[in-house]
Amino acid sequence: MRSPTTSTHTHKEFKLRYGQPLPFGATHVPGGVNFSLFSANATHCTLVLFKRGEREPFAEIPFPPEFRLGDIFAMVVFDLDTETIEYGYRVDGPFTPAKGHRFNAKKVLLDPYAKEVADGYDLWTLPEKDLPTGPDRGRIVFDDFDWGHDRPLSIPEKDLVIYEMHLRGFTKHSSSGVKEAGTYEGMRKKIPYLRELGVTCVEIMPIFAFDEFENTRTNPLTGTRLVNYWGYSTLGFFAPQTAFAASATQNGQVNEFKQLVRDLHEAGIEVILDVVFNHTAEQGEHGPMISFRGIDNATYYMLLPDGAYANYTGCGNTLNANHPVVRKFVVDCLRYWAAEYHVDGFRFDLASALGRGTDGAPLANPPLLEEIAYDPVLSNCDLIAEAWDAGGLYQVGDFPSYRRWCEWNGKFRDATRKFLRGDPGVAGEMVQRIMGSPDLYAAAGRKPTASINFITCHDGFTLRDLVSYNEKHNLANGESNNDGNNDNISYNCGVEGHTDDPKINATRLRQQKNAMALLFLSQGVPMIYMGDECGRTQDGNNNAYCHDVDWNWLDWSLPQKNADLFRFCQKIIAFRKTNAALRRDEFLTGHDQVGSGYADISWHGVQPWKPDWTPQSHTLAFLLCGRHTAAEGGSPDFIYCMMNMFTKPLEFTFPVLPKGMSWHRAIDTALPSPEDIVDAGKEVALDPATKSLTLHARSIVVLIGR
């Protein structure tokens, strides 16, 4: 019986030994580095070593045949200076695309498990003459970060207030006043703003290593080069984006992102990463060979019978996520970010693609989604699915959840936009959405917190643009305005785009407040998009993925310019936190379960106890009986919400409270700031003789009964 682990080989000046097959990637071992790479179909593999920053390798070390165990090439190389080297692989095998094999030993390939990617882009958008021409390589990370006592926060899902944001765009604008603008460090400097707003969780758009120069088009309006700004095209799944670091030092981006996570946790704010496992940066048939394609194309990608790439993502390829090896890769990646970076959860882009089998058919019990749900390392992580893909699979309410997964609720978005716009026939559906969508989740034993409620996100109009544009304005994207969603369910309030008309601007402001009120008065988990709290506009562009320009960044003068909107958002978040009746773990029943004489929730119209479900209805009112949550330690106050989305004022009569209680006005979106929303305990008492209020057209009023 051979004992390869005790035999030292040599290749030129390098001492080698049979390596450990697991873990995959490059890991420190006593005296050296263990390199491990999977490929089921390769015939040979060579380790390629570079000096940091140099374009040509200084050494190439073939894996001896006996260093292969099963489908894994594993080798220890001794006496390497891990702070100065970068590495990649040449992988040889058949080139038979019809059978799925595309090996090319001339290409140096990036290790899928590389913990840091040396792509040459240490600075964001280098001048074109300085762009690197060499291959992407991995760097070896030595973890010496001091986490102190930091651990993931595990905030209950019902208490989450999610702020979706772009890390670079958050501080890149010149008005941010941050020296390290557009970086992890820059975001860290703005944590007090997030605390001031009141959010409890940031959902950060992709920070896994990507190539911002992937986009080769130009802006036809300006002639400037467009970029891959959003980053939904991953190069390195284990590596934070180098160009988001303020420092280009060894492990700079690693330590900066860890410091950001630690400081966010100290501020009581969770970190959720937007992750892209449905496709990769290698794109389709004519895309670049970077990693998976050259390592084992037939394993890592979903292929058609003729070897062509299945495309359920709209990006040219689809990761073969339910192949056992690919499934391990995804779970290993998530575990790494949870364990090494202390992140609190993940939002999965086009997650329905992860539920397709190797033949592309949707699986009833997808192994990957099940494994993620039950993985012991990820057991406390928030798991959020974008429950659709570009292949037509739409699973909102039907996503395989294992009672662990939450979903971006696209049906909440669409119904709320229609209701705000004044569409007919929406009032009845709004009942379900306000209650946390029990029609979608209750039958499967899921909770209201399965619903991530949102009205806007990165993909579409900002909230300001939702009330300012009827049509998308995407000519600057260089795709003849053909990209982006055509149906935005938006209403420009009378004029397309910017206007000085005070009446229209007043309506737009009121509609933005109405949207925020509906979001935070609904059961489920609310999510807002960066800048919606202060009126950020993209000038009608609803697909701003390719623009790294000031209008796509957060303008830090807006919270002052639009102080009334910013204040309203702060206060409505605080209102939700104060009232446990708006943050329930279980679905409301519509019944009196505590003997209070009132159901936990009841529905009304302009007259109490008489809701109008007709298609012509543009009104809705509901009463929350606080005595139900008081039994669980919440406030005993009643909450009465009246919504008039009609184009004219309407008089609403409100229900009679129990003896000794009276109504107080907390919110009226038609009133000027600061009367539009007041702090808890400072609500305006109504005259006891007052039985009704006239609601302004397109407005929401909330009363507190105590």
Side-chain angles (χ1 to χ4, degrees), residues 187-261:
M187 180 180 168
R188 192 171 73 89
K189 298 288 181 61
K190 290 295 189 178
I191 291 175
Y193 174 84
L194 297 169
R195 292 192 66 183
E196 180 186 9
L197 181 58
V199 300
T200 63
C201 175
V202 288
E203 182 176 303
I204 306 176
M205 291 169 66
I207 65 157
F208 289 6
F210 65 92
D211 176 9
E212 69 267 29
F213 281 106
E214 177 185 278
N215 192 334
T216 59
R217 292 191 305 278
T218 57
N219 182 337
L221 305 181
T222 65
T224 56
R225 181 171 182 166
L226 299 174
V227 298
N228 173 16
Y229 173 69
W230 282 354
Y232 287 94
S233 193
T234 309
L235 278 173
F237 290 80
F238 288 73
Q241 173 72 344
T242 306
F244 286 168
S247 169
T249 60
Q250 179 80 7
N251 293 358
Q253 68 271 43
V254 171
N255 290 329
E256 280 186 40
F257 183 66
K258 289 180 177 180
Q259 185 69 56
L260 171 61
V261 173

Side-chain angles (χ1 to χ4, degrees), residues 527-545:
M527 182 185 80
I528 63 175
Y529 179 44
M530 180 185 81
D532 280 353
E533 73 277 9
C534 55
R536 191 177 77 86
T537 176
Q538 294 173 176
D539 298 323
N541 192 314
N542 75 349
N543 191 30
Y545 73 99

Side-chain angles (χ1 to χ4, degrees), residues 597-599 601-605 607-611 623 640 653-656:
Y598 295 81
I601 188 169
S602 53
W603 296 93
H604 310 262
Q607 294 295 322
W609 313 106
K610 295 181 180 180
L623 177 69
Y640 193 58
T653 302
F654 22 90
V656 176

Side-chain angles (χ1 to χ4, degrees), residues 590-607:
H591 300 290
D592 181 4
Q593 298 176 317
V594 296
S596 67
Y598 295 81
D600 52 8
I601 188 169
S602 53
W603 296 93
H604 310 262
V606 293
Q607 294 295 322

Side-chain angles (χ1 to χ4, degrees), residues 379-626:
S379 62
N380 290 326
C381 286
D382 299 309
L383 305 175
I384 302 173
E386 185 181 34
W388 53 84
D389 66 19
L393 187 56
Y394 188 80
Q395 296 180 300
V396 172
D398 296 317
F399 190 81
S401 71
Y402 308 96
R403 300 190 182 183
R404 279 277 284 121
W405 287 82
C406 306
E407 299 172 13
W408 267 24
N409 191 343
K411 294 186 178 181
F412 179 95
R413 173 199 61 203
D414 295 347
T416 305
R417 287 187 177 195
K418 290 174 183 177
F419 187 63
L420 286 165
R421 189 169 67 175
D423 287 12
V426 189
E429 183 180 356
M430 282 304 299
V431 170
Q432 297 293 329
R433 305 299 155 246
I434 289 169
M435 291 176 64
S437 296
D439 60 329
L440 301 178
Y441 303 116
R446 302 169 73 181
K447 308 294 185 183
T449 50
S451 178
I452 306 298
N453 298 334
F454 68 104
I455 299 173
T456 59
C457 63
H458 71 274
D459 194 2
F461 281 151
T462 67
L463 182 58
R464 173 68 178 268
D465 289 353
L466 188 71
V467 300
S468 303
Y469 294 90
N470 286 348
E471 307 292 339
K472 65 183 183 182
H473 296 265
N474 295 357
L475 283 174
N477 294 2
E479 300 183 53
S480 302
N481 210 42
N482 292 317
D483 63 304
N485 201 333
N486 292 321
D487 184 11
N488 297 285
I489 319 178
S490 60
Y491 172 53
N492 66 16
C493 299
V495 172
E496 188 76 355
H498 301 285
T499 180
D500 293 325
D501 187 313
K503 184 177 180 181
I504 291 176
N505 284 331
T507 301
R508 289 176 176 177
L509 174 59
R510 193 164 64 253
Q511 284 287 73
Q512 290 173 81
K513 292 179 181 179
N514 290 339
M516 287 293 181
L518 280 170
L519 182 64
F520 286 97
L521 292 169
S522 296
Q523 304 294 325
V525 179
M527 182 185 80
I528 63 175
Y529 179 44
M530 180 185 81
D532 280 353
E533 73 277 9
C534 55
R536 191 177 77 86
T537 176
Q538 294 173 176
D539 298 323
N541 192 314
N542 75 349
N543 191 30
Y545 73 99
C546 54
H547 296 282
D548 183 38
V549 292
D550 57 0
W551 60 258
N552 213 13
W553 305 329
L554 179 59
D555 181 345
W556 286 86
S557 70
L558 291 177
Q560 290 75 43
K561 290 178 181 177
N562 300 319
D564 45 1
L565 176 60
F566 180 75
R567 178 186 176 277
F568 185 89
C569 292
Q570 281 183 301
K571 299 300 181 183
I572 195 68
I573 292 172
F575 184 83
R576 180 182 180 86
K577 291 179 178 179
T578 301
N579 291 281
L582 301 172
R583 299 176 286 106
R584 291 177 58 93
D585 281 320
E586 303 291 337
F587 284 110
L588 295 158
T589 66
H591 300 290
D592 181 4
Q593 298 176 317
V594 296
S596 67
Y598 295 81
D600 52 8
I601 188 169
S602 53
W603 296 93
H604 310 262
V606 293
Q607 294 295 322
W609 313 106
K610 295 181 180 180
D612 183 0
W613 309 130
T614 64
Q616 295 74 32
S617 175
H618 302 290
T619 63
L620 195 60
F622 64 88
L623 177 69
L624 292 171
C625 173

